[in-house]
Amino acid sequence: MIEALRQFVVFGNFNSVSFEDVSKLEKIKNKFSLQINATQDLNSPQININPNNVLKGGVFIGAPMPIVTRPILKNEKERVNVFFGTSRIHIEQLDFEDNTYKDFNSMALEIIYEIQDKLNLKFNRLALNGHFFNTEKESVNSALKKLIHSSDNFDLQSDEWRFRIVNKEENEKLKCRLNKIIDYNRGKFISSKNVEEDGLIISYDFNTQPGIEKIFTKEDIEFFNSIGSEYREKYLIKE
């Protein structure tokens, strides 16, 4: 099994975070060999639509909006990115095997705490997510038989299928709701090696509810990370 993406995300109002601010994060830059660069904000709109300007057929006249450029710290060799958006900061790593997750997770927490302290930021939402890719049919089928059963209309051997499970639960310690999302997608995919392979993508997303008036402390983040990592572990397929 390959873990093609892993992310730790914190949310808040980060409009004030500048390239100069990010350049001062010397400790994490040096320790994890991160270089500052620029990228487009994930939430940057592409078209500014004026509802008063409508052509026949309901087509809007739109004007391109300026692209919002945000700082990003990158380690090309390790494929690590630390993205500073206006409303989210995510630490991600791409295309690494699942046995390196502990190192990534430790790095992500260290980066988050350094950002929190040095830039004096407040986080109002947390998320831990990523996805696995498995091409071993026997191990995939064995794991999925524990979750679902074949029927006259459905067979685990089917070439393509997908289902998604969303659970919501209140957490007393964090004093908020947790969203626990898992998505199974079986089919043919282009791997990181640019080769088409038949397999199963398992995507997980463990996050706190949006829109609440809460600021997460380091202790909250530590606890969230612990239970989020346990959730992720449930969906590892042992070959």
Side-chain angles (χ1 to χ4, degrees):
M1 170 180 282
I2 298 297
E3 189 168 11
L5 169 70
R6 51 173 72 103
Q7 282 192 345
F8 203 128
V9 191
V10 293
F11 297 84
N13 183 351
F14 309 133
N15 281 291
S16 63
V17 178
S18 66
F19 282 83
E20 183 179 359
D21 292 328
V22 174
S23 68
K24 294 177 182 177
L25 298 171
E26 294 294 340
K27 182 178 177 181
I28 59 174
K29 285 171 58 185
N30 293 334
K31 183 171 182 177
F32 302 112
S33 302
L34 298 167
Q35 302 294 322
I36 192 168
N37 211 320
T39 189
Q40 181 179 335
D41 196 355
L42 294 179
N43 298 322
S44 294
Q46 297 303 302
I47 297 294
N48 182 18
I49 295 177
N50 184 346
N52 297 317
N53 298 333
V54 184
L55 297 175
K56 291 182 179 180
V59 179
F60 290 107
I61 299 175
M65 290 190 70
I67 294 176
V68 178
T69 302
R70 299 296 298 169
I72 186 170
L73 293 173
K74 300 175 72 71
N75 178 328
E76 299 287 357
K77 182 179 179 181
E78 301 294 336
R79 303 205 70 184
V80 173
N81 299 317
V82 184
F83 167 74
F84 294 81
T86 53
S87 61
R88 64 180 277 158
I89 297 172
H90 71 237
I91 298 93
E92 71 176 7
Q93 189 173 34
L94 306 171
D95 296 327
F96 270 72
E97 296 182 2
D98 55 27
N99 60 3
T100 64
Y101 182 77
K102 185 176 180 181
D103 292 334
F104 163 79
N105 188 252
S106 176
M107 175 188 68
L109 287 176
E110 187 171 347
I111 290 173
I112 286 170
Y113 296 152
E114 178 77 0
I115 291 171
Q116 188 178 33
D117 291 340
K118 295 296 184 182
L119 303 186
N120 193 28
L121 298 181
K122 299 184 185 303
F123 307 140
N124 58 26
R125 193 180 181 206
L126 310 171
L128 191 155
N129 52 64
H131 58 249
F132 308 111
F133 182 51
N134 196 305
T135 58
E136 298 294 328
K137 290 188 177 181
E138 289 188 8
S139 61
V140 168
N141 290 339
S142 176
L144 291 177
K145 283 178 182 177
K146 299 176 182 178
L147 299 173
I148 54 180
H149 301 281
S150 295
S151 69
D152 292 339
N153 298 318
F154 178 83
D155 189 337
L156 289 176
Q157 303 294 336
S158 299
D159 292 334
E160 296 183 19
W161 51 265
R162 183 172 189 175
F163 70 92
R164 176 181 172 93
I165 303 169
V166 180
N167 289 317
K168 302 177 185 294
E169 64 179 39
E170 296 294 329
N171 187 276
E172 291 185 5
K173 188 165 183 177
L174 292 175
K175 294 181 172 53
C176 69
R177 188 186 70 224
L178 293 174
N179 301 314
K180 300 159 67 173
I181 305 167
I182 193 74
D183 186 281
Y184 293 85
N185 188 2
R186 186 167 190 177
K188 292 186 180 297
F189 306 97
I190 303 298
S191 71
S192 60
K193 299 177 182 178
N194 203 32
V195 176
E196 185 179 73
E197 296 188 69
D198 178 55
L200 174 71
I201 292 178
I202 304 175
S203 302
Y204 63 92
D205 189 354
F206 188 87
N207 62 77
T208 61
Q209 71 184 91
I212 60 174
E213 294 183 2
K214 178 178 175 62
I215 301 300
F216 290 93
T217 65
K218 286 184 181 179
E219 291 74 18
D220 291 333
I221 295 171
E222 195 77 30
F223 177 71
F224 172 84
N225 176 65
S226 175
I227 58 178
S229 296
E230 290 177 2
Y231 179 75
R232 167 193 170 276
E233 188 75 17
K234 292 180 181 179
Y235 300 97
L236 284 171
I237 295 178
K238 310 298 183 182
E239 298 177 8

